[in-house]
Amino acid sequence: MSAISSALVIGGGIAGPVTAVALRKAGIDARVYEAYPTPAHNIGSELGFAPNGLAALDNIGAGDLVRGVSLPLTHMRMSIGDKMIDMPSSAGEPMHVVARGDLHRVLHDHAIAEGVAVEYSKRLIGVDETVHGVTARFSDGTSACADILIGCDGVKSSVRTIIDPAAPDADYTGMLGFGGYATISTPVPAGTQTFAFGHKAYYLYWPTRDGRVAWGANLPHARHLTLAQARATSNEEWLAILSDTYAADRPGAELIANTAPDDFVAVGGLHIMPPVPHWSRDRLVLVGDAVHAPSNSTGQGASLAVESGIELARCLRDFDDVPTAFATYESLRRPRVEEIAKRGAKTNHAKTFGPVMRRLMPLIMPMMFRSTKVRDTLSAEQSYRIDWAGTAVR
Ligand SMILES: Cc1cc2nc3c(=O)[nH]c(=O)nc-3n(C[C@H](O)[C@H](O)[C@H](O)COP(=O)(O)OP(=O)(O)OC[C@H]3O[C@@H](n4cnc5c(N)ncnc54)[C@H](O)[C@@H]3O)c2cc1C
């Protein structure tokens, strides 16, 4: 039984509310502190949510809430030039796609319903530690105290540098993210997600329930742009740039041409987190993108974030001293998240292949997808389950 009775959760994005609910289920009082002034319900495009993430959320009663706002995709295929190649798909529950805003809304509302207090306009600027506890200092001059502090503060995490000033920053993948919805005449099969390697850039698309086609684009861009910097350029201007980039691609060109500026969103630079040497120090620990953003290419970012939050709560429930709980959490999570990030790095590399490799891809990819190694890798990623009912073992 845990001797830890209270936690400060920094960041109310995806991992934050989930971690707080899981902690409450573990008997630990958790409060969430978010830098934004309000919940960010309408920010972001669509993201992939994997069966392992849904199963993790079932442990805290939130799996069906996410299933309710997301779309299952039973079939995956890759398009390179005129070639369409079937990809292995999950044997059990399929991958889902969900608008980041909807995902955030249901997880946030679930946390509130479960009694978690969420405070806004609370940007963490510093931490004071004693042998008995930790105090978080916020930019509005207020502070809060608890036994431990958990950094769910995303890819630009402040808690990461408070734990270790020499901690690495997230790497920029060299691509900007965009998303949109279009009505097009090219038929797109139901329940199917297509990963398309266009002439100049990668994109993906799938049909939505309302008869439109949702799409995402990864635009190679030398200079990193934050979300705010990307949004300083108007949607009309970005659509013109993307129209040029995807001009030779089908249905890429049609998707861009039929997307209204109001149905378009810029996400900014896409990141991948290199291995972080120190996941925790004393009474501070990291969860989610703050410690293991595996890049959008894996479709696992949000799922791994919620898995980690729930696994950390299980470890804190089952060990009565903080160092053992944090060390067990890291030993359970690090191998899995670093392996998935390696796969993400390889896929990112393929998205920026030159013309020679692009010509070879239609030959290489079918062989790769037939290999049992690729199928086993995806199956291991997606069939992973957290043993919430069982005791955490180091
Ligand atoms: C506004 C926004 C839009 C996004 N859009 C997309 C998208 O379209 N597609 C996609 O694949 N992924 C998107 N993501 C990233 C995606 O949500 C994460 O990769 C993933 O879900 C992991 O979640 P997380 O909780 O670890 O990190 P995040 O979801 O990034 O949440 C981190 C939270 O911490 C808060 N925070 C940061 N610093 C501090 C601080 N010092 N004090 C207090 N709070 C702090 C942030 O405001 C944020 O709410 C977006 C993230 C954000 C914040």
Side-chain angles (χ1 to χ4, degrees), residues 288-323:
D289 274 11
V291 68
H292 55 61
S295 109
N296 63 314
S297 296
T298 62
Q300 282 283 359
S303 301
L304 292 184
V306 303
E307 274 184 10
S308 286
I310 293 166
E311 192 66 281
L312 174 64
R314 187 169 81 107
C315 294
L316 288 163
R317 178 195 70 189
D318 293 348
F319 292 98
D320 59 8
D321 72 294
V322 176

Side-chain angles (χ1 to χ4, degrees), residues 49-68:
F49 210 84
N52 47 288
L54 290 167
L57 290 179
D58 285 335
N59 291 306
I60 60 157
D64 283 345
L65 299 175
V66 174
R67 288 183 187 93

Side-chain angles (χ1 to χ4, degrees), residues 19 27 36 74 76 80-83 90 92 101 127 156 164-165 168 212 231 252 261 266 273 287 328 341 345 382:
T19 306
Y36 272 107
T74 50
M76 308 276 158
I80 308 163
D82 291 335
K83 298 256 181 329
S90 162
V127 168
K156 299 246 161 71
D164 174 13
R212 294 186 297 169
R231 288 179 185 186
M273 202 59 220
V287 165
T328 306
Q382 298 187 358

